[in-house]
Amino acid sequence: MGSGTGDPSEMMHDFLRQAGGCAVVDGGLATELEAKGADLNDPLWSAKCLVDSPHLIRKVHLDYLEAGANIIISSSYQATIQGFEAKGFSTAESEALLSKSVNIACEARDIFQKCFSDEGAGGSNSRKRPILVAASIGSYGAYLADGSEYSGEYGEEVTMDFLKDFHRRRLQVLADSGADLIAFETIPNKLEAQVYSELLNENNIEIPAWFSFNSKDGYNVVSGDSLVECASIADACKHVVAIGINCTPPRFIHGLILSIRKVSDKPIVIYPNSGEHYDADKKEWMVSTGVSDEDFVSYVSTWHKAGASLIGGCCRTTPRTIRAIAQALNLAQQVSPVASSLS
């Protein structure tokens, strides 16, 4: 998909057709890294494991592939050149760590496909399943590690030119890393969406991208900017092949899908969090506020019918969640024609 030839939108439609009309995105990375013993109490968050425990990242990717994911997202969400340099790494070392995040995901895909290439190991269905690697780019707020990706409030000094300078080299490195697409995640405001769109055009990025926003009210992105306006920016960018929502409570997703569909016919990508509230001051999730895997997955057919064709999970979701989503989507595909999910 990331070959740089042909129409990006058609590439995504081809991928979805190969996946049976609807593809499964992976789930929470940091959640699983912590479950495997990683200490992520660090401004780099999950990207810290690129330095001290890359094997754990690879294992999490494999767990999600085994659960049924068609798309695995790299561990670069909170990985930035500026963040690594603040830890004492050189610019070259920082860029190498960005590329490493994609390399680990590609290695996991290769391992999975090799292990399941035999009929006895995984059968023909596993061998035929299309798998993409998405290089994650988190917002400027994610780099700040102060919870501002959940508010979009950067201050007047953070201008479009400032954000372009912040993101430009990181985008170039990840676009050249071997990923199939770029996942701009948890976009909190219209300004950063416009920055991403212009960077994609100005820097001749050859692989496609998706834009996913986050919301805390079910109507707007977290800054208060109109989701419809943000989605319109994404829709106007030829490099963007899917538009959607991530790290947002499941109860808001259906209405947000309908809002996106008002302004775009591009595939919709949805990967909500578990519904739990994140306390940015304490840097912890309030567990009692979430929904069970069963309740989370009960939404899936509704999201699919509303127009979502790439569905997974974000923070606090697990391989168990993704396996249940894959099973639910398989049932949905059996009762609705492929063409309906691509319309």
Side-chain angles (χ1 to χ4, degrees), residues 261-272:
R261 191 49 85 213
K262 289 178 182 178
V263 294
S264 180
D265 291 327
K266 294 183 178 182
I268 292 179
V269 54
I270 295 298
Y271 48 121

Side-chain angles (χ1 to χ4, degrees), residues 43-102:
L44 293 176
W45 199 37
S46 55
K48 176 176 178 284
C49 291
L50 288 168
V51 178
D52 58 27
S53 47
H55 64 287
L56 292 183
I57 299 174
R58 186 181 299 106
K59 180 62 169 69
V60 174
H61 287 322
L62 282 167
D63 288 347
Y64 280 120
L65 289 171
E66 291 170 1
N70 298 104
I71 300 176
I72 52 175
I73 302 174
S74 73
S75 53
S76 53
Y77 173 79
Q78 208 146 327
T80 63
I81 295 170
Q82 298 88 338
F84 286 129
E85 288 179 338
K87 289 287 188 177
F89 294 96
S90 68
T91 299
E93 290 170 333
S94 301
E95 293 180 0
L97 285 167
L98 283 173
S99 296
K100 184 177 181 179
S101 69
V102 173

Side-chain angles (χ1 to χ4, degrees), residues 16-248:
L16 288 171
R17 280 191 284 270
Q18 293 171 29
C22 195
V24 180
V25 182
D26 65 7
L29 176 65
T31 303
E32 287 302 290
L33 289 173
E34 289 180 324
K36 296 181 187 306
D39 179 5
L40 304 185
N41 185 19
D42 189 279
L44 293 176
W45 199 37
S46 55
K48 176 176 178 284
C49 291
L50 288 168
V51 178
D52 58 27
S53 47
H55 64 287
L56 292 183
I57 299 174
R58 186 181 299 106
K59 180 62 169 69
V60 174
H61 287 322
L62 282 167
D63 288 347
Y64 280 120
L65 289 171
E66 291 170 1
N70 298 104
I71 300 176
I72 52 175
I73 302 174
S74 73
S75 53
S76 53
Y77 173 79
Q78 208 146 327
T80 63
I81 295 170
Q82 298 88 338
F84 286 129
E85 288 179 338
K87 289 287 188 177
F89 294 96
S90 68
T91 299
E93 290 170 333
S94 301
E95 293 180 0
L97 285 167
L98 283 173
S99 296
K100 184 177 181 179
S101 69
V102 173
N103 293 339
I104 292 171
C106 290
E107 288 171 5
R109 174 174 60 185
D110 291 345
I111 291 169
F112 177 79
Q113 291 177 328
K114 181 178 180 180
C115 288
F116 286 84
S117 62
D118 297 332
E119 289 290 332
S124 58
N125 289 336
S126 294
R127 187 172 66 251
K128 292 179 180 178
R129 190 207 314 172
I131 298 171
L132 299 182
V133 170
S136 172
I137 291 184
S139 68
Y140 175 67
Y143 155 75
L144 296 176
D146 61 359
S148 57
E149 75 260 49
Y150 299 112
S151 71
E153 297 174 0
Y154 294 163
E156 294 182 0
E157 69 279 5
V158 178
T159 63
M160 180 171 288
D161 287 340
F162 176 93
L163 288 175
K164 282 186 177 182
D165 289 341
F166 177 83
H167 286 296
R168 182 177 288 107
R169 181 57 187 160
R170 178 194 192 190
L171 171 58
Q172 291 171 331
V173 171
L174 288 172
D176 294 336
S177 65
D180 298 296
L181 60 96
I182 300 289
F184 293 99
E185 303 188 278
T186 324
I187 306 172
N189 53 44
K190 185 167 64 174
L191 174 65
E192 206 150 17
Q194 189 65 49
V195 165
Y196 293 150
S197 177
E198 293 189 14
L199 283 176
L200 287 169
N201 291 325
E202 293 169 0
N203 292 275
N204 298 315
I205 301 302
E206 293 188 342
I207 66 172
W210 78 43
F211 282 14
S212 62
F213 302 89
N214 58 336
S215 173
K216 56 188 176 185
D217 64 6
Y219 300 98
N220 304 302
V221 298
V222 293
S223 65
D225 291 338
S226 164
L227 173 62
V228 169
E229 292 181 11
C230 290
S232 295
I233 292 170
D235 183 70
C237 181
K238 65 180 181 180
H239 298 279
V240 175
V241 297
I243 306 168
I245 302 292
N246 76 293
C247 214
T248 296

